[in-house]
Amino acid sequence: MITHSTDKKLIYSYLEEIKDPEVPVLSITDLGIVRDVILNNDEPEVIITPTYTGCPAMDMIAAGIKMVLTSHGYKNVKVTSVLSPVWTTDWMSEEGKRKLKEYGIAPPNPKQQVCNENLFAPNETVQCPHCNSYHTHRISEFGSTACKALYQCDDCKEPFDYFKCH
Amino acid sequence: MNAKIDYTLHLADTTLILSQRNSEWCGHGPILEQDIAITNISLDLIGQARNFYQYAAKLIGNTDEDKIAYLRTEREFKNLLLAEQPNGDWGQTILRQYFFSQYQYLLYQQLQNSKDEQLAAIAAKAIKETSYHLRWSGEWVIRLGEGTDESHQRMLNAVNELWGYTGEMFIPATYESPVVKENTGVSVDSLKQPWLEKVKTIFEEATITVPEKVFMHSGGKEGKHTEHLGFILTELQYMQRAYPNSEW
């Protein structure tokens, strides 16, 4: 028989195991998309919020939560997605940002710089995750996934992804 | 309640159909970065469509997002005619996106204050993405408009093709007056002037003249479509029609 103390902290530690399938170094708690865990008679409900509206990883993440918690003995795991308050890159943990950089993706700047409607706005200054130079330029505002933009370093010449401010 | 369902379906259908159109560019964009850009926009739009469909399904009851998207016929779709217009060349696709994003940005600015919490939440979430679409498409309109003789001419052709489909965005459908009255929906007539002013500014930079006295098509929001929608749905709904209830 599986016995476990049904406290939220334990469930949160299990949720650490679930990675963003598109950025596999980040757990969903690093990303800041777990809003709450509610326990109803030992049956957990996990409240999550999407990063981007169309992020295809959300369905996989929801399935991952159910699988992981079920494998730890929980029954009838429920995952609910809420939109409000809106997720922004500020919800990402400092630990998450450090992991992103280590992985070669520039983490989001602490303050949103270009999330407005003005055209031809100057490029956001982004630090190269490889050589730490700020001498970089944007290649495209859209990248390999909805959350990333494509940059290149003018010093070490390496192209890199930037987890864009949102 | 019926008006709110129809209004939500209208918002969903427009984003789905435009997303489907944009996705036709996948693998065909003029350069890789722009191919990725237009398909990213497509993905954002389908995400918005899903949120609206899921909400509509909840309001209707006993159905789901897939049934609504895959099992309705063209007369039941309430999308803007602009969304279903063919891609044409890159210039035409860009201009269609710009016209739409400029409208959608103004729409979401107000919809995020809707008295309906879910519609407000969807708009608040999506407006950041819309600002990306607006910047990207607006910059391209200018770049092509005042680019070479060839690109300028193509933008003029695009304006010629699409301008007649912009009027519909600002004509309220029958289901819109009730939702505006209860402050859940946005009064689209109020968006017309700000939209026109923004377009004028962009067109000026792009050295394109704003057309005047053009006949405006309408009917899409009420289910009366151009001949293009049927073909789009044929492709979009094929799998569910051929293999009912299939999933992957």
Side-chain angles (χ1 to χ4, degrees):
Chain A
M1 194 178 138
I2 304 161
T3 52
H4 48 67
S5 70
T6 50
D7 76 330
K8 277 189 181 188
K9 266 193 187 151
L10 188 63
I11 295 183
Y12 267 99
S13 71
Y14 294 146
L15 294 177
E16 283 278 335
E17 297 170 24
I18 302 154
K19 306 292 177 202
D20 177 343
E22 304 205 58
V23 190
V25 284
L26 284 187
S27 74
I28 58 174
T29 46
D30 291 330
L31 262 177
I33 61 169
V34 178
R35 281 283 157 81
D36 203 359
V37 173
I38 301 164
L39 278 166
N40 310 308
N41 301 325
D42 288 359
E43 293 177 359
E45 178 181 3
V46 181
I47 318 281
I48 56 172
T49 189
T51 51
Y52 274 69
T53 305
C55 182
M58 292 309 292
D59 289 340
M60 275 185 75
I61 287 171
I65 293 172
K66 285 185 185 165
M67 272 176 61
V68 167
L69 293 187
T70 305
S71 74
H72 285 288
Y74 291 94
K75 292 205 171 77
N76 300 323
V77 180
K78 204 173 149 198
V79 180
T80 309
S81 176
V82 295
L83 294 174
S84 187
V86 172
W87 180 89
T88 70
T89 37
D90 295 339
W91 290 76
M92 193 186 287
S93 69
E94 289 307 311
E95 175 69 4
K97 289 179 183 175
R98 192 188 56 75
K99 285 186 199 165
L100 265 184
K101 194 177 173 211
E102 242 175 52
Y103 188 61
I105 297 174
N109 283 330
K111 182 126 178 61
Q112 289 193 1
Q113 294 177 26
V114 292
C115 295
N116 60 47
E117 51 170 329
N118 297 332
L119 306 187
F120 300 110
N123 281 357
E124 206 169 359
T125 308
V126 175
Q127 190 181 20
C128 172
H130 305 295
C131 72
N132 294 327
S133 165
Y134 280 100
H135 193 205
T136 62
H137 71 276
R138 191 179 72 208
I139 297 173
S140 173
E141 234 182 338
F142 297 90
S144 55
T145 62
C147 53
K148 286 178 264 168
L150 197 57
Y151 270 72
Q152 186 177 16
C153 179
D154 296 329
D155 282 326
C156 74
K157 311 289 182 208
E158 280 292 319
F160 62 90
D161 275 331
Y162 167 52
F163 200 110
K164 61 195 177 193
C165 267
H166 196 55
Chain B
M1 186 50 119
N2 279 341
K4 188 149 93 179
I5 292 171
D6 284 347
Y7 183 62
T8 308
L9 287 174
H10 154 65
L11 296 170
D13 291 340
T14 299
T15 42
L16 176 73
I17 298 301
L18 187 57
S19 162
Q20 177 76 5
R21 271 297 190 215
N22 284 342
S23 73
E24 290 170 22
W25 276 105
C26 188
H28 301 279
I31 54 167
L32 184 60
E33 284 78 8
Q34 300 312 325
D35 190 300
I36 291 170
I38 192 83
T39 43
N40 258 280
I41 291 172
S42 198
L43 184 63
D44 289 342
L45 291 173
I46 203 167
Q48 296 174 20
R50 286 191 62 188
N51 283 337
F52 286 126
Y53 281 131
Q54 284 164 4
Y55 185 47
K58 213 170 140 192
L59 294 175
I60 296 167
N62 225 350
T63 185
D64 62 44
E65 51 175 327
D66 287 342
K67 286 202 183 92
I68 300 177
Y70 290 129
L71 300 176
R72 282 179 308 146
T73 57
E74 22 185 331
R75 284 301 290 263
E76 293 167 282
F77 271 74
K78 296 168 179 54
N79 59 282
L80 292 168
L81 296 176
L82 180 70
E84 70 201 42
Q85 295 313 301
N87 286 346
D89 57 16
W90 184 246
Q92 196 172 319
T93 294
I94 291 294
L95 188 67
R96 186 184 59 201
Q97 190 60 47
Y98 170 66
F99 283 161
F100 178 72
S101 294
Q102 188 68 73
Y103 154 83
Q104 197 188 40
Y105 190 79
L106 296 166
L107 179 84
Y108 283 171
Q109 263 182 336
Q110 294 198 27
L111 193 62
Q112 45 181 348
N113 303 321
S114 166
K115 265 175 82 179
D116 184 288
E117 279 179 19
Q118 189 62 11
L119 290 179
I122 297 172
K125 175 87 207 151
I127 193 167
K128 291 193 284 186
E129 292 145 21
T130 303
S131 80
Y132 273 95
H133 309 167
L134 180 55
R135 275 202 307 279
W136 177 83
S137 59
E139 287 174 5
W140 268 105
V141 168
I142 294 170
R143 216 173 268 138
L144 295 173
E146 61 155 15
T148 63
D149 288 346
E150 172 79 23
S151 71
H152 179 73
Q153 186 55 47
R154 284 181 184 240
M155 286 316 281
L156 296 185
N157 298 347
V159 173
N160 207 20
E161 286 291 331
L162 295 175
W163 190 262
Y165 296 102
T166 58
E168 191 196 17
M169 298 191 281
F170 311 107
I171 304 169
T174 45
Y175 46 81
E176 280 180 287
S177 2
V179 291
V180 168
K181 216 176 267 169
E182 58 189 30
N183 291 321
T184 49
V186 174
S187 155
V188 283
D189 5 17
S190 72
L191 307 179
K192 187 173 178 175
Q193 241 7 72
W195 182 86
L196 206 55
E197 258 146 50
K198 289 281 186 188
V199 171
K200 272 185 188 154
T201 322
I202 299 279
F203 271 23
E204 210 165 285
E205 277 196 62
T207 66
I208 302 170
T209 328
V210 174
E212 277 173 45
K213 296 202 176 89
V214 173
F215 174 77
M216 290 294 182
H217 302 270
S218 62
K221 291 164 81 168
E222 308 275 5
K224 292 174 204 129
H225 294 276
T226 59
E227 66 271 31
H228 306 296
L229 185 65
F231 293 97
I232 297 175
L233 294 184
T234 305
E235 194 174 351
L236 190 148
Q237 298 181 334
Y238 173 80
M239 289 295 282
Q240 273 309 308
R241 301 283 190 191
Y243 305 95
N245 305 319
S246 59
E247 283 180 33
W248 76 53

